[in-house]
Amino acid sequence: MASTDETGQPAQQASPSGPVPPARPPAGGAAGPAARMPRWLPRAMVLALTLYALFQLSSWAFHQLTGLLINILIAFFLALAIEPAVSWMAARGMRRGLATFLVFLAVLIVTAGFVTLLGSMLAGQIVKMVEDFPDYLDSVINWINSHFHTELKRVDIQEGLLRSDWLRNYVQNSATGVLDVSAQVLGGLFRLLTITLFAFYFAADGPRLRRALCSVLPPARQAEVLRAWEIAVDKTGGYLYSRGLMALVSGVAHYVLLEVLAVPYAPALAVWVGLVSQFIPTIGTYLAGALPMLIAFTVNPWYALWVLAFVVVYQQFENYVLQPKLTSKTVDIHPAVAFGSVIAGTALLGAVGALIAIPAVATLQAFLGAYVKRYAVTDDPRVQGHRRGRRDGGSGPGLLTRARRLRDRRQGERRPAGEPEGSPDSGDGSS
């Protein structure tokens, strides 16, 4: 009879050479499922590869359509800017399509007039500078000869310029770049046409677009979307209209200065300064003032200094007096935030981002302000920008308060015994 251990299992027989190794588990035993690939792993791998392929396809499509998306974004903000004018005419019985067409026609006429006037000014000024270039060159040569005791001649300088390698290379590069410039001009015209078409549809079919957007949202979300849309219209339109008014004031002020200095093409230069200075915030005034300074320099070098001084003074007047009054109800954002938003917009979208950065930030600020909870500010001197009056952290009385207490104490010492406080003879001014 086989021996058994304490658990009732047959005990293993020891072989003469050592212990007997345990028997292998059967092929279909407990180790079989652990050695197999899980059923979900192939499907997970297929799903991961599919998601990666979709991500790569979406990234490629986004990079290919970046230009179109930027054009649509510009058109959307342009439609928001003209929405108040279109809605005002539509509320008086005019069809939205006709009202949008009239607004675009007015904008086109003003833009074409400005470009034509500015182009004629630049062409005439360039012709004048070319005609007067020999006189300018003679004056510079005479100044150099008188101060440095040289014997320069205009003929030698002209021949040296005509025979220089720099001029030859410049002419060759300009000739080879004519085709590229033509392609860029055609691309710019096509882009302008695309933006105008999308902006027209956004403005003319604004109510239909809002209904289509709200039809896929629950009622609570619909109210938020419509509120955000209304804020965007108010901020974008208010930004453009307030900037247009400040451009008018700036143009008139610079026109008066240029007329006093007898600088040619004063109206066109005033319009240039007004538009560039307002639609490129903070540094736009200095960029716009470069052209009037250059033209004023051709008349008299001292006139350029007068223009520079006027530009600097007017910028301070605009920043601290004019702009807070005109934009307090339309685009009430801090100048530092405005400048930072312009830099961020330029880094993201270039010149387009610089133009739409401020209305976008103003819209976001107004939308968040409607939902962010605010609390009453504690009555602390540090909130008003004052330091505490004591070293132990307590708020000591101000200088005026201490002077009044000292006066009252001295008047109390001079007051006769038994005289009631606050009598007409006490001298404290109370009645």
Side-chain angles (χ1 to χ4, degrees):
M1 186 174 179
S3 62
T4 59
D5 56 8
E6 296 179 357
T7 59
Q9 298 293 334
Q12 296 180 356
Q13 299 292 334
S15 62
S17 60
V20 179
R24 292 184 179 181
R36 266 189 224 157
M37 178 184 296
R39 295 182 179 180
W40 55 267
L41 185 57
R43 288 180 294 179
M45 295 177 62
V46 172
L47 180 61
L49 293 176
T50 304
L51 292 178
Y52 179 76
L54 290 177
F55 173 76
Q56 292 293 335
L57 181 62
S58 302
S59 178
W60 174 81
F62 177 78
H63 285 88
Q64 295 295 323
L65 298 177
T66 300
L68 178 61
L69 295 177
I70 293 177
N71 293 337
I72 293 176
L73 182 63
I74 299 173
F76 179 71
F77 273 94
L78 182 60
L80 292 179
I82 66 174
E83 177 66 24
V86 174
S87 299
W88 182 81
M89 288 189 288
R92 282 155 178 79
M94 187 179 297
R95 297 179 56 185
R96 288 189 64 91
L98 180 59
T100 306
F101 174 76
L102 293 178
V103 173
F104 269 97
L105 182 62
V107 172
L108 179 62
I109 292 174
V110 173
T111 304
F114 171 71
V115 172
T116 302
L117 185 62
L118 185 63
S120 63
M121 183 270 296
L122 290 177
Q125 196 64 31
I126 290 174
V127 171
K128 184 177 182 298
M129 292 178 64
V130 171
E131 292 177 351
D132 297 340
F133 180 75
D135 297 333
Y136 295 149
L137 187 58
D138 288 337
S139 62
V140 172
I141 291 174
N142 293 331
W143 184 84
I144 294 175
N145 291 335
S146 61
H147 285 78
F148 298 98
H149 305 286
T150 58
E151 295 181 357
L152 296 177
K153 295 181 181 180
R154 188 180 67 182
V155 178
D156 297 336
I157 295 177
Q158 289 178 350
E159 290 180 356
L161 289 175
L162 292 176
R163 295 177 181 177
S164 62
D165 295 335
W166 172 81
L167 183 61
R168 187 181 301 108
N169 294 331
Y170 177 78
V171 172
Q172 292 177 355
N173 294 332
S174 300
T176 55
V178 171
L179 184 60
D180 296 337
V181 172
S182 301
Q184 291 179 1
V185 170
L186 292 178
L189 292 177
F190 179 76
R191 183 178 183 181
L192 180 61
L193 180 62
T194 303
I195 293 173
T196 305
L197 185 63
F198 275 107
F200 181 85
Y201 285 136
F202 285 152
D205 295 339
R208 185 184 304 175
L209 179 62
R210 289 190 286 270
R211 287 195 299 268
L213 183 61
C214 292
S215 63
V216 297
L217 297 174
R221 297 295 181 183
Q222 293 178 14
E224 294 181 1
V225 169
L226 294 177
R227 178 179 177 80
W229 192 293
E230 183 180 0
I231 291 175
V233 170
D234 293 339
K235 294 300 179 180
T236 306
Y239 168 74
L240 291 180
Y241 296 146
S242 61
R243 287 291 172 178
L245 184 57
M246 287 193 295
L248 178 62
V249 176
S250 176
V252 171
H254 287 83
Y255 171 75
V256 172
L257 172 68
L258 296 175
E259 281 291 335
V260 170
L261 298 178
V263 177
Y265 302 102
L269 290 175
V271 174
W272 164 264
V273 173
L275 292 179
V276 175
S277 63
Q278 299 308 317
F279 291 98
I280 301 180
T282 307
I283 61 174
T285 300
Y286 305 105
L287 295 178
L291 183 60
M293 287 176 56
L294 178 62
I295 296 180
F297 184 82
T298 61
V299 179
N300 191 336
W302 289 102
Y303 289 176
L305 295 178
W306 281 105
V307 173
L308 176 61
F310 183 82
V311 166
V312 173
V313 173
Y314 182 81
Q315 178 68 23
Q316 305 307 316
F317 168 77
E318 180 182 286
N319 289 339
Y320 295 101
V321 178
L322 186 62
Q323 183 173 351
K325 292 183 178 180
L326 294 180
T327 61
S328 59
K329 295 182 179 180
T330 55
V331 188
D332 189 13
I333 60 178
H334 195 272
V337 178
F339 185 65
S341 63
V342 170
I343 294 177
T346 305
L348 293 175
L349 300 176
V352 176
L355 291 176
I356 67 176
I358 291 182
V361 171
T363 302
L364 180 62
Q365 178 179 343
F367 185 72
L368 294 178
Y371 294 96
V372 175
K373 187 177 181 180
R374 297 181 180 271
Y375 301 91
V377 180
T378 180
D379 189 10
D380 193 293
R382 291 172 294 183
V383 177
Q384 305 299 330
H386 304 293
R387 297 180 62 184
R388 290 184 179 270
R390 299 177 183 176
R391 293 184 179 179
D392 57 357
S395 57
L399 180 61
L400 184 59
T401 303
R402 292 197 298 269
R404 289 177 179 176
R405 292 180 180 178
L406 181 60
R407 185 196 62 180
D408 295 340
R409 188 181 303 112
R410 290 179 178 178
Q411 289 176 355
E413 293 175 354
R414 292 196 303 266
R415 187 181 298 114
E419 183 179 346
E421 183 180 358
S423 62
D425 297 336
S426 61
D428 59 356
S430 59
S431 58

